[in-house]
Amino acid sequence: EALSWARWATANAPVSAVPVHPLAWRCLGNVLLDCGRYEEADRAYRRADPEMVDSRTQFNRSKVALGLGDYAQAWRLAEHRLCSERLPDGAYRGPWWQGWPEPGVLTIWSEQGLGDTLQFLRWIPLLMDQGKTVTLMVQPPLQRLVARGLSWLGPRLTVLAHPTQPVHRLAGCHGSLLSLPWRLKQPMPAWAWGEGYLRVDRLAPPRSMSPRRVGLMWGAGP
């Protein structure tokens, strides 16, 4: 039904003297994206933003690229999320990545949801291979797991929780965890599929949890 109305909103585009509003094209692209019709969604987004300067539309195009398996394009376009007036939750204000890639000391912060943080941690070992000293700031519920799970990378990595009082700016070279594949020019670190990057052999549950419980998420958004 949503797709039907979205198509109706752009139906007169070829013949109307009044141009279709970009929001209507972006709405059509969003519905097509949720339907998994990625090529059609990208065509709608291009109609919404023919100059490719609107950050919201270009960020949505990054999701199209993910659906098509074009990861290099996806990570490049995803950087538009940081160009919006409202930054994602957990993001710090720029300038980001000052002096990259020369600085040997970096602060990397998580943003978006817990699942995004867990997925994008797979690029941390690649960053550490460059000999850098890294402070990684993650959401408080993940700090203990991530600190233990990445301890095999050695003392040059420190895992902290985001401060409870928001800090809008950070000093030194810093950037988003979700920007690492783009910055490292590594769209897919193939080794991570065959070998775990979060290595937790024994993580004792809190005393209140008996017996041990395991949570399984088997699905996510489109």
Side-chain angles (χ1 to χ4, degrees):
E1 184 177 1
L3 181 58
S4 176
W5 282 110
R7 290 198 183 283
W8 175 85
T10 60
N12 294 327
V15 296
S16 175
V18 179
V20 173
H21 196 283
L23 183 59
W25 286 115
R26 192 163 71 241
C27 177
L28 175 60
N30 292 346
V31 179
L32 289 166
L33 177 66
D34 283 349
C35 292
R37 297 164 68 165
Y38 302 117
E39 292 88 351
E40 294 176 75
D42 194 54
R43 288 195 290 270
Y45 288 140
R46 289 176 182 272
R47 295 292 295 270
D49 183 28
E51 302 298 325
M52 298 187 181
V53 294
D54 181 73
S55 59
R56 292 168 297 180
T57 304
Q58 295 306 306
F59 177 54
N60 286 351
R61 288 188 64 227
S62 75
K63 301 175 187 179
V64 169
L66 280 176
L68 294 173
D70 187 352
Y71 294 105
Q73 173 81 333
W75 307 141
R76 182 185 70 82
L77 291 172
E79 291 300 295
H80 283 275
R81 74 192 182 282
L82 299 174
C83 299
S84 301
E85 293 182 4
R86 185 180 184 277
L87 289 176
D89 292 340
Y92 291 84
R93 298 203 173 276
W96 304 290
W97 306 102
Q98 291 189 93
W100 174 268
E102 283 74 19
V105 179
L106 297 172
T107 298
I108 305 297
W109 34 265
S110 61
E111 52 161 307
Q112 309 289 341
L114 304 180
D116 288 309
T117 297
L118 292 173
Q119 290 293 337
F120 280 79
L121 289 174
R122 71 179 71 243
W123 277 272
I124 290 292
L126 298 178
L127 180 64
M128 301 303 296
D129 284 346
Q130 298 183 354
K132 300 185 183 300
T133 298
V134 176
T135 297
L136 175 62
M137 300 170 62
V138 299
Q139 298 94 330
L142 293 181
Q143 191 270 336
R144 178 169 172 257
L145 170 66
V146 175
R148 287 285 300 275
L150 295 181
S151 62
W152 62 276
L153 293 173
R156 288 186 290 106
L157 176 65
T158 301
V159 180
L160 303 177
H162 278 294
T164 55
Q165 297 297 323
V167 179
H168 297 293
R169 295 188 185 275
L170 295 176
C173 184
H174 68 93
S176 170
L177 175 66
L178 273 63
S179 296
L180 282 183
W182 179 64
R183 285 286 170 174
L184 294 171
K185 296 180 171 56
Q186 288 283 347
M188 289 298 293
W191 69 270
W193 295 113
E195 184 178 7
Y197 53 95
L198 276 177
R199 304 177 186 178
V200 183
D201 295 329
R202 297 178 182 87
L203 187 62
R207 294 182 182 274
S208 61
M209 290 180 60
S210 181
R212 184 188 301 268
R213 300 174 182 179
V214 177
L216 174 67
M217 182 183 72
W218 64 88

